[in-house]
Amino acid sequence: MKKFLVIIGILSLIFTAGAVLAFTSLDLPDLKDQAQEKNISLWEVVFPKEIDFSRREADQVLEDNLSGIERIQLDGGNLNIRLVKGDRFQVKASDLKASHYYRIEDGCLAIQGRKETISYEITSPNPEKLILSGDFDNGSCQIEARLLQGDMSLANGEVKVNVDQSFPLTVNVDNGSIYYHAQELNAKFTTSVDVGSIKFFDDNYSGVGFDEIHESFGQGRDDIQLTLDVGEISVE
């Protein structure tokens, strides 16, 4: 048994080293040009078949005009989430069966992922009072409204943040991409990528295991940490 585990460990190391060497041998500037021409991410150019970034429209209303929701929790499985500001708290999904995979309790909307990906759209009149937490396997999370706080972990996929003002946020993605944009920044950033690239406003970095980037804007009120194992981060 011990010999078997040792063999598996060695094979894992060989595979990881091979993946890193393969990535570093790529012509990153040329790949970036391809990504810009096709209007897709660098990750999709390098690994076009690994992750499906497509989404089904969330158009089935599951809950309408909810009140008292202070937290949103995402857990396990495959999920596509879009969070926006609206005139009332509403939950939509791409499948009516999604009603079996969430619960509302003690001011928390908890969504459980499943084997088949379901897209959810969550609308809140006061997103700045919401705390978002998530730890799921595959999919995406789009945040289009300023929150009180956010903490996201995703194995494969993408996280997109496009808001008017910054807020405290931690994002960890194993494989995929992170896009961040805020019209008004009052934050201190920590961003890092193990293998891939970072576009931080006008600065571009690419390679393997390069140092973390630390930048502060305004009074540095909000702590923003963006961490990625393999792929790309874009802050603009």
Side-chain angles (χ1 to χ4, degrees), residues 67-102:
S67 61
I69 301 296
E70 299 177 345
R71 293 176 292 124
I72 298 174
Q73 181 178 319
L74 313 173
D75 186 36
N78 306 301
L79 293 167
N80 287 326
I81 301 293
R82 181 170 179 250
L83 182 59
V84 298
K85 185 170 183 175
D87 57 1
R88 61 185 184 276
F89 202 109
Q90 185 180 72
V91 180
K92 293 181 180 180
S94 58
D95 191 332
L96 285 175
K97 294 179 182 178
S99 61
H100 301 297
Y101 301 97
Y102 75 91

Side-chain angles (χ1 to χ4, degrees), residues 4-217:
F4 176 75
L5 293 175
V6 170
I7 292 172
I8 293 297
I10 293 173
L11 290 175
S12 298
L13 289 173
I14 293 173
F15 177 80
T16 302
V20 170
L21 288 173
F23 192 92
T24 54
S25 66
L26 297 173
D27 187 347
L28 289 176
D30 180 62
L31 292 174
K32 289 178 182 179
D33 290 340
Q34 292 181 40
Q36 289 179 353
E37 290 177 4
K38 297 178 181 179
N39 194 27
I40 58 177
S41 69
L42 175 63
W43 176 251
E44 291 175 275
V45 174
V46 179
F47 302 107
K49 296 181 181 180
E50 293 295 325
I51 300 175
D52 181 6
F53 287 87
S54 63
R55 302 177 185 83
R56 289 179 57 194
E57 183 179 354
D59 55 5
Q60 308 287 333
V61 178
L62 304 180
E63 299 285 349
D64 198 13
N65 206 23
L66 287 174
S67 61
I69 301 296
E70 299 177 345
R71 293 176 292 124
I72 298 174
Q73 181 178 319
L74 313 173
D75 186 36
N78 306 301
L79 293 167
N80 287 326
I81 301 293
R82 181 170 179 250
L83 182 59
V84 298
K85 185 170 183 175
D87 57 1
R88 61 185 184 276
F89 202 109
Q90 185 180 72
V91 180
K92 293 181 180 180
S94 58
D95 191 332
L96 285 175
K97 294 179 182 178
S99 61
H100 301 297
Y101 301 97
Y102 75 91
R103 69 180 188 278
I104 300 169
E105 188 175 80
D106 297 329
C108 178
L109 170 63
I111 298 176
Q112 180 71 43
R114 52 180 298 197
K115 184 176 181 180
E116 179 183 350
T117 302
I118 294 180
S119 298
Y120 290 84
E121 180 178 291
I122 303 169
T123 304
S124 171
N126 301 299
E128 65 279 359
K129 297 180 180 180
L130 283 176
I131 295 176
L132 173 67
S133 62
D135 187 354
F136 57 101
D137 299 332
N138 306 294
S140 65
C141 182
Q142 296 183 77
I143 302 172
E144 300 180 20
R146 180 175 183 253
L147 307 178
L148 179 63
Q149 183 179 331
D151 190 344
M152 295 291 304
S153 292
L154 180 59
N156 301 292
E158 63 181 359
V159 175
K160 288 187 175 182
V161 181
N162 191 359
V163 293
D164 55 352
Q165 296 183 52
S166 61
F167 61 90
L169 177 66
T170 299
V171 177
N172 294 290
V173 176
D174 292 343
N175 303 293
S177 61
I178 302 172
Y179 167 81
Y180 184 94
H181 172 74
Q183 296 178 22
E184 182 180 325
L185 281 174
N186 188 351
K188 50 184 178 182
F189 277 86
T190 299
T191 60
S192 66
V193 173
D194 287 345
V195 180
S197 65
I198 295 178
K199 180 181 183 299
F200 199 89
F201 295 97
D202 294 330
D203 297 324
N204 291 276
Y205 309 85
S206 60
V208 177
F210 46 89
D211 294 337
E212 292 181 341
I213 298 172
H214 300 274
E215 290 286 348
S216 186
F217 300 87

